[in-house]
RNA sequence: GCCGGAGUGGCGGAAUGGUAGACGCGCACGACUCAAAAUCGUGUUUCGCAAGGAGUGAGGGUUCGAGUCCCUCCUCCGGCACCA
């Protein structure tokens, strides 16, 4: 045995030897062994291994090796996610063919990966760009198509102008392309979609039983974004002049809007607001700066009343004198003129009446209406005999605020906007607004959140709860893709609506108490008292109120409870070359047909210039078109788009189980043997992408009868990143990149593996900085192990007889009690077995390494260590440092691989200490400690504590009130 | 803003409600050496000569006892975000 640890020789030697032996070739089934599948995400053949790869692959390898030694038939597979943009872009840059580039880099990376000393079973390698792999990707897509899980749709898509392709929502980060960072544009385009939304509920529900971190579960739920609410029908009406003779006539009560009068007054009010006096301006300012301004709110409500009550009747105007703010006075003359010319009566309340108590003011108003007797108010839509132009469904989770609606908003893309353009008097303005919004990039939308919108003049929406007529706006703060693309705006209870209403001077109406009226029931609103501080999204309104309102409207067919999702269907079309061709052909009429299994794989053509120009390169393939016509007939054309690579990675793990199968993507038998996957370790960046897609894929395959399970990833743990020594993300520009090849060359793969395991707990998303000194510390440890074995073992490696390394410590009969000699070290090794085993189970590789270090420290201090103990130690170290331990294992006379040996078991009786340190606390502070034997009883220990000098001193003669004894730990004395 | 997670020495990090700082790095001193490196040994939260005191982001609370449990707040990291 060499005196010095030479990692280069050892690692090269054993990697070759293992390869020779086929040590890591794992059978599908082994008699008497349970299968255990440890999965890590297969890798992109970027062409160069970085520290991140080492962290991702070598630490889970420790786990897989440990499981194997524990007696499991442990599989740890690897493959290449070989289609996709980076490879393609790199190839283009170098003027190469993506295929050549990819295969070259895969070869290079395979060699690099082998240098890690992992137990990857390369006989099961999966390469997503191989036709015998993507054949199955295509087959699955075709099945999805036939079962309405794949469809073509013209939607707004995220377009990356640099990569010249569509991106999925998941691939847009902060409005930028997640690959190249370009600002993503919005574009309308046809593309292939997968109906992941159909699985939204199951994707949420099935999270329940997965052993995944809560953070991932929450993130997925969040991403899917289910919210439960109601869809409520609002009628859209035009503003035809009123026809007083029609309608319900006698029903007394409160109405607000409707009729030409409303229109006139509403517009007048708007004008007032858009062209305010100084006093009004001051008020708006106050509103904007002090959202909870009571003073304002009061006044504001009054103002709303003014607007509303202005419209109370055909011949009655009720007005609150607002001269305290100089608001109304100024306008009085003008308004009175208009009103009187229309033949209205004006009733005026003094400002004091209102300001003192708004509630009373309201009541007074109502009283006065009653007194007048003939003040008749007609519900809109009925009395006017207006024709409904259209129904618009809005989505809300706050149906309880229905009585606070003061306007409605349609998304600019909403189809009704186009449908009603004849009725919209300011169409030019509206059209321009829509055009402008369309051209906003995703980034613009996200960064510039100043609300904008245009009123659809000539159209009103009718609130079904109270038949109130409210104006309709288009605004891009309402998203076309969410809910129904239309909302009811309740500025008093929604911050966004509030902001918008404030900007455009729209009324704000607060619903304070449970609303009590519908057109058919008690006809007034309880506005209640405005409290001093009410927040915007207050929780004042109960679930009951919500339920009541929705039920009432449901009864009239105007509402229904619905669930809506943030999740969009998955757009998989890519206008790029290096991907799976979508297996669809179009007949001469343009109807899409899935390509049947006999023609799969539907090969990626090679006769194209694949430089991206925004159109699909496959469209330029003569061969592809000829092939299509040849097989399907004249006039048939191929689909020219390729698939998102997340499709490839959605099912790759199935293929590991049956990589050579030509008839099925994976036999059911093999699935049954290996699935579900026991452990899936990977990067946090896949939380709402790969992990979600893949779960969907499995469920879809399951529903099509193609796989057994609905979830395949039993345990998932996300890992963090390895940062540069400066604590920053590694990047060339920062010059903090650690090159693993260089470190492996200098210190060895075992050192790097073990250092990565030692950095901190695995399976949490903490990022750890690479410490160049820290890694040397691990190297030192391995050298110490080497020297320790070399020093003690030379010439004494007879494995039949436990060898006592120090003659002085040799006992009479080393096998008296067990096959392991009874020594201090025996206890030490048993403790270490326990600790390392438990820590690996919990992915706490760092403390497992620490336990091994402590064990070696003990060994070095000790006089006599048996060969058996050393061997156990090597076994425990083997998953971490597979090469070195293999070498030493053989040095100790073993002929079979240490990695095939059985994980040692500890003996509980060997771990128990004979004595322990009792800590004495007095009033919670540690004052003394002493050692007692394991079998000393509670009373005795307490008494021993009480008579100790230090304890007496601290007690100062005081009588203990209470003495608490914790077995084998402490005595706590309370005075 | 919402949802997760985390705040412990100079650093990475340890601690079933029971001696805070295991293990490693770094640093200091010592041994070996002509010397250096390597290696080995000793020490290393902080204030204090000591006895002793303080100490796990801040402030409260529960407890004989809190890094750990509860409440309020602050900071950092990750995810989502005009989602009605």
């Amino acid at each position: 045995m060499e005196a010095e640890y030479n990692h280069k020789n050892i690692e090269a030697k054993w990697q070759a030897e293992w390869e020779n032996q086929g040590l890591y070739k794992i059978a599908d089934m082994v008699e008497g062994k349970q299968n255990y599948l440890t999965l890590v995400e297969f890798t992109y053949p970027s062409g160069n291994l970085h520290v991140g790869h080492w962290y991702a692959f070598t630490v889970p390898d420790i786990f897989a090796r440990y499981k194997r030694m524990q007696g499991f038939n442990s599989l740890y597979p690897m493959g290449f996610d070989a289609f996709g943009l980076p490879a393609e872009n790199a190839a283009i840059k170098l003027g190469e063919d993506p295929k050549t580039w990819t295969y070259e880099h895969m070869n290079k990376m395979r060699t690099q990966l082998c240098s890690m000393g992992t137990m990857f079973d390369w006989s099961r390698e999966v390469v997503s760009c191989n036709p015998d792999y993507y054949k199955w990707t295509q087959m699955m897509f075709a099945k999805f198509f036939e079962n309405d899980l794949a469809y073509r749709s013209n939607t707004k898509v995220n377009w990356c102008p640099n990569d010249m392709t569509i991106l999925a929502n998941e691939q847009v980060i902060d409005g930028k392309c997640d690959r190249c960072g370009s600002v993503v544009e919005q574009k309308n385009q046809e593309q292939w979609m997968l109906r992941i939304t159909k699985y939204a509920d199951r994707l949420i529900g099935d999270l329940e039983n997965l052993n995944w971190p809560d953070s991932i579960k929450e993130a997925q739920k969040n991403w899917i974004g289910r919210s439960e609410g109601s869809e409520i029908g609002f009628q859209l009406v035009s503003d035809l002049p009123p026809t007083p003779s029609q309608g319900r006539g006698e029903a007394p009560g409160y109405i607000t809007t409707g009729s030409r009068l409303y229109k006139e007054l509403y517009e007048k009010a708007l004008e007032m607001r858009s062209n305010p006096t100084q006093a009004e301006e001051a008020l708006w300012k106050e509103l904007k700066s002090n959202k909870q301004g009571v003073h304002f709110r009061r006044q504001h409500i009054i103002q709303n009343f003014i607007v509303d009550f202005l419209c109370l009747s055909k011949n009655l105007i009720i007005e609150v004198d607002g001269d305290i703010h100089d608001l109304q006075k100024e306008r009085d003359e003008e308004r009175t003129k208009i009103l009187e010319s229309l033949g209205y009566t004006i009733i005026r309340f003094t400002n004091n009446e209102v300001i003192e108590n708004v509630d009373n003011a309201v009541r007074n108003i109502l009283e006065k209406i009653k007194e007048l007797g003939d003040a008749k108010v007609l519900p809109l839509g009925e009395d006017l005999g207006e024709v409904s132009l259209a129904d618009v469904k809005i989505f809300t989770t706050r149906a309880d605020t229905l009585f606070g609606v003061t306007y409605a908003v349609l998304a600019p893309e909403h189809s009704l906007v186009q449908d009603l353009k004849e009725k919209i008097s300011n169409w030019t303005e509206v059209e321009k607004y829509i055009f402008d919004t369309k051209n906003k990039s995703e980034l613009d939308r996200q960064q510039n959140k100043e609300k904008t919108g245009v009123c659809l003049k000539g159209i009103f929406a009718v609130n079904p709860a109270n038949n109130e007529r409210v104006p309709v706006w288009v605004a891009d703060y309402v998203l076309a893709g969410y809910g129904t693309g239309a909302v009811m705006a309740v500025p008093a209870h929604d911050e966004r609506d509030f902001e918008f209403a404030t900007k455009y001077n729209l009324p704000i109406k607060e619903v304070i108490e449970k609303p009590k009226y519908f057109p058919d029931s008690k006809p007034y609103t309880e506005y209640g008292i405005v409290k001093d501080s009410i927040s915007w999204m207050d929780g004042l309104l109960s679930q009951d109120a919500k339920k009541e309102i929705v039920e009432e409207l449901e009864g009239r067919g105007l509402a229904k409870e619905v669930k809506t999702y943030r999740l969009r269907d998955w757009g998989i079309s890519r206008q790029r070359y290096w991907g799976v061709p979508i297996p669809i052909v179009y007949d001469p009429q343009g109807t899409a047909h899935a390509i049947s299994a006999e023609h799969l794989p539907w090969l990626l053509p090679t006769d194209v210039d694949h430089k991206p120009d925004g159109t699909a390169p496959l469209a330029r393939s003569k061969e592809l078109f000829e092939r299509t016509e040849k097989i399907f007939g004249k006039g048939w054309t191929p689909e020219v788009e390729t698939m998102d690579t997340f499709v490839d990675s959605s099912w790759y793990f199935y293929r590991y189980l049956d990589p050579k199968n030509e008839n099925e993507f994976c036999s059911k038998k093999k699935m049954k043997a290996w699935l579900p996957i026991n452990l899936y370790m990977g990067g946090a960046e896949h939380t709402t992408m790969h992990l979600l897609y893949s779960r969907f894929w499995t469920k879809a395959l399951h529903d099509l009868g193609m796989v057994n399970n609905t979830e395949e990833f039993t345990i998932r743990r996300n890992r963090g990143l390895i940062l540069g020594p400066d604590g920053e993300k590694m990047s060339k520009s920062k010059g903090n990149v650690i090159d693993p090849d260089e470190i492996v060359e200098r210190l060895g793969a075992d050192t790097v593996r073990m250092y990565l395991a030692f950095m901190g707990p695995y399976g949490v998303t903490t990022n750890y900085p690479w410490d160049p000194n820290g890694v040397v510390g691990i190297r030192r440890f391995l050298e110490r192990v080497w020297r320790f074995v070399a020093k003690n073992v030379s010439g004494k490696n007879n494995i039949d007889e436990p060898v006592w390394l120090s003659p002085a410590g040799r006992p009479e009969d080393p096998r008296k009690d067990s096959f392991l000699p009874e020594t201090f070290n025996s206890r030490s090794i048993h403790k270490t077995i326990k600790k390392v085993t438990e820590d690996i189970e919990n992915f706490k590789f760092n403390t497992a390494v620490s336990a091994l270090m402590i064990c070696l420290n003990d060994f070095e201090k000790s006089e006599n260590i048996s060969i058996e103990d050393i061997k156990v130690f090597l076994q425990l170290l083997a998953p971490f440092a597979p090469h070195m331990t293999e070498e030493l294992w053989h040095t100790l006379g073993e002929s079979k691989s240490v990695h095939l040996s059985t994980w040692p078991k500890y003996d509980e009786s060997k771990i128990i200490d004979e004595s322990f340190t009792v800590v004495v606390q007095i009033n919670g502070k540690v004052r003394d400690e002493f050692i007692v034997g394991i079998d000393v009883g509670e009373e005795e220990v307490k008494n021993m504590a009480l008579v100790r000098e230090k304890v007496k001193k601290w007690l100062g003669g005081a009588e203990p009130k209470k003495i608490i004894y914790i077995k084998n730990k402490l005595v706590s004395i309370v005075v």
Side-chain angles (χ1 to χ4, degrees), chain A residues 277-430:
Chain A
T277 63
Q278 248 185 344
E280 283 167 338
E281 198 136 41
L283 212 55
W284 303 139
K285 229 183 206 162
E286 191 180 335
L287 165 72
K288 281 171 190 164
S289 63
N290 178 12
K291 284 187 173 182
Q292 300 192 348
V294 181
H295 179 66
F296 167 74
R297 286 191 137 218
R298 230 175 235 185
Q299 180 62 29
H300 192 71
I301 284 211
I302 294 162
Q303 251 199 334
N304 286 331
F305 269 71
I306 295 163
V307 174
D308 288 347
F309 285 104
L310 277 172
C311 319
L312 259 176
S313 138
K314 305 285 178 283
N315 56 4
L316 174 66
I317 299 294
I318 298 172
E319 201 166 278
V320 180
D321 183 355
D323 65 353
I324 188 172
H325 286 294
D326 227 8
L327 271 179
Q328 311 303 329
K329 210 173 176 182
E330 211 174 295
R331 307 279 177 177
D332 270 357
E333 205 177 289
E334 200 181 349
R335 186 166 52 251
T336 307
K337 218 168 88 191
I338 300 171
L339 294 171
E340 281 175 355
S341 75
L342 289 162
Y344 295 97
T345 311
I346 296 172
I347 301 175
R348 197 155 280 177
F349 290 89
T350 69
N351 166 57
N352 278 352
E353 271 178 291
V354 177
I355 296 303
E356 292 273 52
N357 188 326
V358 174
D359 198 34
N360 281 341
V362 174
R363 244 169 250 145
N364 285 341
I365 289 167
L366 293 169
E367 285 303 310
K368 294 218 172 168
I369 294 171
K370 273 188 207 158
E371 278 165 30
L372 284 166
D374 59 341
K376 286 167 193 158
V377 181
L378 307 174
L380 172 82
E382 294 182 44
D383 64 322
L384 304 176
E386 283 176 332
V387 185
S388 169
L389 299 171
D391 261 336
V392 59
K393 287 200 170 21
I394 61 94
F395 174 75
T396 180
T397 54
R398 294 293 308 273
D400 50 338
T401 61
L402 203 46
F403 293 91
V405 173
T406 56
Y407 62 103
V409 192
L410 302 180
E413 299 88 344
H414 200 288
S415 61
L416 277 178
V417 181
Q418 297 293 334
D419 294 351
L420 296 176
K421 76 182 191 193
E422 302 292 317
K423 306 280 176 190
I424 298 167
S425 56
N426 58 338
W427 178 247
T428 329
E429 194 190 350
V430 173

Side-chain angles (χ1 to χ4, degrees), chain A residues 37 407 535 782 902 966:
Chain A
L37 177 46
Y407 62 103
S535 63
L782 291 180
T902 304
I966 307 293

Side-chain angles (χ1 to χ4, degrees), chain A residues 47-76:
Chain A
N48 204 20
L49 224 52
H50 53 78
V51 179
H53 288 111
W54 276 80
Y55 192 52
F57 302 148
T58 60
V59 183
D61 180 65
I62 293 167
F63 191 83
R65 285 178 178 278
Y66 156 78
K67 279 288 167 190
R68 186 179 201 188
M69 289 173 77
Q70 270 205 327
F72 288 92
N73 183 42
S74 174
L75 174 61
Y76 187 48

Side-chain angles (χ1 to χ4, degrees), chain A residues 141-142 144-155 157 166-168 189-196 568-575 580-586 590-595 637-644 647:
Chain A
F141 177 89
F144 283 14
F145 176 70
E146 284 156 10
N147 288 279
D148 193 37
L149 286 172
Y151 63 98
R152 196 147 172 84
S153 153
N154 191 325
T155 48
V157 298
I166 293 179
L167 300 174
Q189 188 156 334
E190 285 237 322
Q191 68 160 339
W192 283 98
M193 311 284 290
L194 298 184
R195 229 178 268 288
I196 189 171
R568 301 270 68 90
D569 273 341
W570 175 14
I572 59 153
S573 287
R574 297 293 178 268
Q575 292 67 38
V580 182
I582 294 176
I584 291 285
V585 285
Y586 298 93
T591 309
H593 300 267
I595 295 172
T637 54
E639 174 57 69
V640 292
E641 291 171 334
T642 52
M643 291 188 209
D644 181 5
V647 174

